[in-house]
Amino acid sequence: MRMITRCLVALALFLVLAVPAGAEETIKLAGMFNLTGGMSSIDAPALNGAKLAAKLINEQGGVLGKKLEVIGYDTKTDQKACATAAQKAVSDGAVAGLGYGDTTFVNAAAPAFINANLPFVTSGATHPELPKWHGEYFFMVPFGDDDQSFAIADYAANQLGVKNVVVWTDNSMDFTKALSKFFKQRIEELGVNMIYEDFFMMGDKNFSAQIARLKNANPEADAVFIASIPNEAGLTTKQIRESGLDLPIISADGFDTELLVTVPGKKLANDIYFSSHTYREDTRPEVLNFIEEYNKEYGRDPENAFAPLGFDAVGLLADAMERAGSTDGPKLRDALAATRGYEAVTGEISYTRPSRVPVKAVSIISVKNGEYKVEQIWMPEI
Amino acid sequence: MRLPRSFLFTLLLGVGLLLVWFMEARMSSYFLMVAGFVGINIILAVSLNITNGFTGLFSLGHPAFMAVGGYVTAILTFPAMRKAMFLPDLPAWLAGLELPFLPALLFGGAMAVIVALFVGVPVLRLKGHYLAVATIGFLIIVQVLLKNMEGWTRGPLGLSGLPAITNLWWIALFVLTCIVTAWRIKFSSFGRRLQAVRENEMAAKCIGMNLFLTRIQALCVGAFFAGVAGGLWAHLITVITPNSFSLVMAFTIVVMVVVGGSGSITGSVLGATVVTLLTEVFRPMEEQLGLYGMSEVLMSLVLLLILILRPRGLFGTDEPIFLLPDEYRGTWKAKGMKKK
């Protein structure tokens, strides 16, 4: 038994030491992602996007004369691993960190970079108070939850003419609770009546109770706003439509998923509206180019909006490095803060607001009979 | 030559302290974080050993005690101003309170003990698998409570930006306390009572032992150290959320205990170290080869091998012979084991 343990340990050490330490003279970016575990369907495409961006940039000659390297750190959907991997990334000489699609993991990993005066750019976490919590070295690539909730609220009130709405909130995630909070805030300002708020949890499979209450809503509901993540998007839509209700279903970027159409089927996936990153069904040249390159590199279409977001995070950092003329932490940070009108795949990024949440366009996307279509582009006020 | 035990213990202590000093002075922050987690996992494994290994109570609720201890410590060390902003429902006396690390940790441990008492009274009447499932239920209850008591705990968002006050010295202090406590318990009449309950409950009852009291005591001691470990954990990562302490963590700690040997303190220390380091050792390989998830697969392989080839774990229920107290050495002789 002891011999076997010794052999295993020896093998492990051998593998660790024998594998080459990595290329010299590259600019290292730490891609912090949950490549295994519950968040992997969101984070893995983001890392793919990030690595694709690095590859394309290197083909054009790299940044500041050096090759860009995105090292993926798998943090296994576990906060402890986030903190450890972040420390490792800093020790490995990364000049900046990027990644994640969810606030919880960003909060665990970002401090290691921030404390070392290295910028952290989140590709997918959307809570608008993130830059405030983490300080000057923190930047967001996507818009904030407040913007996307305001966008869909405006569309519902102005375009769909919704006067009475029911709100369903996933009570187990901070992302969905933030969406609801901002949505409710906006509809109150617009004079739309929220009949009542209903709750469910991530992982719920049966929504018959909520649907029964929805049917009996008094006054009758013009629409139902569902704050959920992709898993529940398809299920709720399917069950609502199957119960005979055909009122508009509205949501935010949690509904930006193939599951919305594949789970209910094309016929039932009807009269759905959600706000999301300006990417799906968009015809801008950056988007088309990205989809083409992604297909060339990985042999399939980008899985979800997080792929271009990861791509944009690297692109943004590279652009800032060129403008700063260096990879030094504070200088890079200043260049990032000065970003104006960077043409990202997911929209134009400018950090003009003091909250350092980018002023980005939001797409309102409709699903009619299983077909996605961009109905409107909404811009935040500032 | 048989060295006196006190000398050996002092030597081990000296080596340990020297190691901690060396690591703090020279090694990178990444190394220190990994070493920190090794220490915290040692505390968790040894404290679980007291409940599971010595007493035979298959408790999967350890992460719940960590959560209680972690949150209490975090709330107590949170700057008063941020408390007002983030946790509006805290009662006034708590909202203004801001404690230094040690009292906060001890308070966290104490709260975990109080929760253990609450939970132990109904749950410890059960045995074996029923106890295990009941403790899982307890774990879920704690998680749901933390998620929904938003005014007190900030709900699913959790508390972030905690002061990073955990360092190797604090962890070493509690590792030492935990191991010494476990050791003293194991080789005392209290420890013998625990092991009697584990071996044969009927016989223990027959000689007049109060089963319930003994089991509650075991649960509470384990819970205290789990609570302290939770507090240390929270201030090492600087973030604490309700999902941090899940069933997966419960099983990970059980794995550490099983790998080392259920009932052996040295085994738990070794098991915790091996399991924690194994995942980190394989990380460079994962990154270079792009084979993410490899380390978990390899760890499962190691666990399988140990369970097949040596199901008692690395140490079984024993401690290294040269560290055993004198009266125990005789038993080894009587069992026919080779003298070292």
Side-chain angles (χ1 to χ4, degrees):
Chain A
M1 166 61 206
R2 278 215 200 111
M3 269 309 284
I4 297 184
T5 330
R6 284 207 202 118
C7 289
L8 278 173
V9 172
L11 179 69
L13 285 172
F14 172 71
L15 283 170
V16 159
L17 295 170
V19 167
E24 313 77 25
E25 276 304 1
T26 57
I27 299 181
K28 294 193 179 58
L29 291 177
M32 314 296 303
F33 292 104
N34 295 312
L35 300 166
T36 50
M39 292 294 285
S40 55
S41 61
I42 290 183
D43 278 1
L47 179 62
N48 286 347
K51 286 199 162 159
L52 180 64
K55 175 166 169 283
L56 292 178
I57 292 173
N58 288 341
E59 277 170 10
Q60 312 266 339
V63 176
L64 302 175
K66 297 195 205 142
K67 295 261 180 246
L68 201 61
E69 191 189 350
V70 172
I71 309 181
Y73 291 88
D74 176 18
T75 57
K76 308 184 214 280
T77 317
D78 173 37
Q79 287 181 312
K80 161 176 162 288
C82 293
T84 351
Q87 286 289 357
K88 179 156 192 290
V90 172
S91 301
D92 280 350
V95 311
L98 60 111
Y100 289 128
D102 186 72
T103 318
T104 324
F105 305 100
V106 169
N107 281 341
F113 293 95
I114 311 277
N115 290 336
N117 285 345
L118 300 173
F120 190 91
V121 176
T122 175
S123 50
T126 46
H127 203 286
E129 286 178 8
L130 273 171
K132 187 167 86 173
W133 296 333
H134 288 287
E136 292 190 324
Y137 279 80
F138 192 90
F139 294 89
M140 287 169 64
V141 167
F143 45 57
D145 290 326
D146 49 355
D147 283 337
Q148 58 171 334
S149 293
F150 294 164
I152 193 67
D154 284 354
Y155 185 80
N158 301 333
Q159 253 66 35
L160 296 177
V162 168
K163 297 273 187 299
N164 300 297
V165 71
V166 167
V167 173
W168 285 17
T169 310
D170 179 342
N171 226 9
S172 61
M173 297 208 70
D174 46 78
F175 160 65
T176 48
K177 286 171 109 148
L179 284 180
S180 283
K181 174 174 131 200
F182 293 117
F183 182 78
K184 286 188 286 192
Q185 180 190 324
R186 186 58 144 214
I187 56 174
E188 198 179 313
E189 286 169 18
L190 294 170
V192 174
N193 172 37
M194 178 180 83
I195 310 171
Y196 66 88
E197 186 176 0
D198 217 338
F199 298 99
F200 60 97
M201 302 285 270
M202 174 176 74
D204 278 357
K205 298 275 180 276
N206 190 314
F207 300 93
S208 38
Q210 288 92 344
I211 293 176
R213 285 192 281 274
L214 186 57
K215 281 191 174 166
N216 294 330
N218 191 7
E220 205 184 310
D222 296 328
V224 58
F225 174 77
I226 305 182
S228 87
I229 57 170
N231 285 348
E232 280 73 47
L235 284 171
T236 46
T237 310
K238 177 170 194 268
Q239 292 181 18
I240 290 178
R241 291 283 179 256
E242 275 177 353
S243 77
L245 287 170
D246 55 7
L247 77 174
I249 300 176
I250 55 181
S251 183
D253 77 341
F255 264 47
D256 188 350
T257 164
E258 304 301 325
L259 290 171
L260 188 59
V261 170
T262 56
V263 171
K266 284 202 163 195
K267 200 154 145 289
L268 291 179
N270 195 24
D271 235 1
I272 308 170
Y273 304 89
F274 59 91
S275 55
S276 186
H277 313 274
T278 49
Y279 154 71
R280 192 186 278 277
E281 301 302 323
D282 201 294
T283 47
R284 280 175 295 130
E286 295 93 27
V287 178
L288 300 173
N289 190 36
F290 170 71
I291 299 181
E292 194 190 313
E293 291 289 343
Y294 199 90
N295 261 301
K296 260 201 286 187
E297 177 78 8
Y298 298 109
R300 55 176 183 271
D301 272 344
E303 293 89 332
N304 52 39
F306 290 94
L309 284 170
F311 185 89
D312 288 337
V314 172
L316 181 69
L317 277 164
D319 177 71
M321 276 187 241
E322 291 281 354
R323 275 183 288 120
S326 109
T327 56
D328 171 53
K331 294 212 186 89
L332 183 55
R333 189 251 142 216
D334 289 337
L336 278 167
T339 307
R340 298 284 182 276
Y342 171 71
E343 299 280 354
V345 174
T346 54
E348 210 181 81
I349 300 180
S350 303
Y351 293 111
T352 46
R353 287 195 276 211
S355 65
R356 261 171 304 112
V357 178
V359 179
K360 267 176 107 178
V362 179
S363 275
I364 309 286
I365 300 176
S366 69
V367 182
K368 295 197 165 49
N369 290 317
E371 298 295 326
Y372 296 90
K373 178 164 167 276
V374 178
E375 294 289 341
Q376 193 190 63
I377 307 278
W378 180 96
M379 283 297 296
E381 273 99 48
I382 302 176
Chain B
M1 178 184 72
R2 194 179 287 179
L3 293 167
R5 277 175 57 244
S6 50
F7 176 71
L8 283 172
F9 278 129
T10 329
L11 190 68
L12 278 173
L13 180 66
V15 167
L17 286 175
L18 209 68
L19 208 65
V20 170
W21 174 83
F22 177 71
M23 287 195 281
E24 275 277 337
R26 292 300 182 83
M27 304 306 260
S28 68
S29 48
Y30 164 60
F31 193 91
L32 288 177
M33 191 168 257
V34 175
F37 279 117
V38 169
I40 293 178
N41 283 333
I42 291 179
I43 301 177
L44 287 169
V46 173
S47 60
L48 191 70
N49 213 344
I50 298 177
T51 318
N52 287 24
F54 294 176
T55 326
L57 301 172
F58 193 43
S59 158
L60 288 169
H62 236 52
F65 299 126
M66 277 181 82
V68 168
Y71 264 95
V72 168
T73 314
I75 292 178
L76 287 173
T77 56
F78 225 41
M81 194 187 69
R82 294 183 83 194
K83 273 213 266 269
M85 205 168 48
F86 285 154
L87 308 170
D89 285 351
L90 286 180
W93 60 269
L94 193 54
L97 201 60
E98 202 179 308
L99 290 176
F101 202 31
L102 186 62
L105 274 177
L106 293 177
F107 210 75
M111 279 304 293
V113 171
I114 294 178
V115 171
L117 282 170
F118 263 116
V119 165
V121 169
V123 155
L124 285 175
R125 300 166 197 277
L126 303 167
K127 299 198 185 93
H129 308 141
Y130 302 102
L131 177 62
V133 172
T135 48
I136 295 179
F138 162 58
L139 178 55
I140 296 180
I141 291 175
V142 168
Q143 263 194 334
V144 170
L145 273 175
L146 287 171
K147 273 190 203 168
N148 285 292
M149 288 165 65
E150 272 184 73
W152 285 72
T153 62
R154 210 154 161 245
L157 205 55
L159 300 168
S160 58
L162 299 172
I165 27 188
T166 306
N167 59 29
L168 276 188
W169 291 112
W170 281 112
I171 297 179
L173 173 68
F174 283 103
V175 166
L176 197 64
T177 316
C178 190
I179 295 183
V180 166
T181 311
W183 194 275
R184 295 300 294 263
I185 288 180
K186 185 169 183 183
F187 297 115
S188 70
S189 66
F190 177 51
R192 286 190 283 275
R193 255 194 287 145
L194 296 178
Q195 290 167 42
V197 169
R198 175 188 73 201
E199 293 300 325
N200 191 330
E201 277 185 8
M202 184 66 75
K205 256 203 263 189
C206 288
I207 60 173
M209 255 189 241
N210 187 332
L211 271 188
F212 177 67
L213 214 60
T214 315
R215 289 162 123 197
I216 270 263
Q217 283 167 336
L219 189 68
C220 288
V221 175
F224 174 76
F225 285 107
V228 167
L232 289 168
W233 197 93
H235 290 273
L236 185 58
I237 302 192
T238 72
V239 163
I240 186 171
T241 67
N243 293 320
S244 314
F245 306 107
S246 61
L247 197 55
V248 173
M249 181 176 273
F251 280 111
T252 313
I253 311 177
V254 168
V255 162
M256 291 179 212
V257 170
V258 164
V259 160
S262 186
S264 160
I265 300 169
T266 328
S268 306
V269 171
L270 217 67
T273 318
V274 164
V275 167
T276 318
L277 288 182
L278 216 61
T279 38
E280 287 302 320
V281 155
F282 290 121
R283 188 185 283 279
M285 193 167 63
E286 270 189 3
E287 279 152 27
Q288 291 302 328
L289 300 177
L291 288 171
Y292 299 106
M294 256 282 251
S295 62
E296 327 262 44
V297 171
L298 282 167
M299 200 166 92
S300 327
L301 218 65
V302 167
L303 182 62
L304 276 171
L305 280 172
I306 292 188
L307 284 176
I308 294 173
L309 297 171
R310 195 174 163 91
R312 289 169 60 226
L314 290 170
F315 273 92
T317 50
D318 325 322
E319 310 292 341
I321 293 184
F322 50 85
L323 289 176
L324 285 175
D326 289 327
E327 55 270 25
Y328 282 77
R329 293 183 194 227
T331 60
W332 292 120
K333 270 196 213 157
K335 275 198 201 172
M337 298 203 58
K338 282 197 235 160
K339 188 172 70 179
K340 188 151 168 81

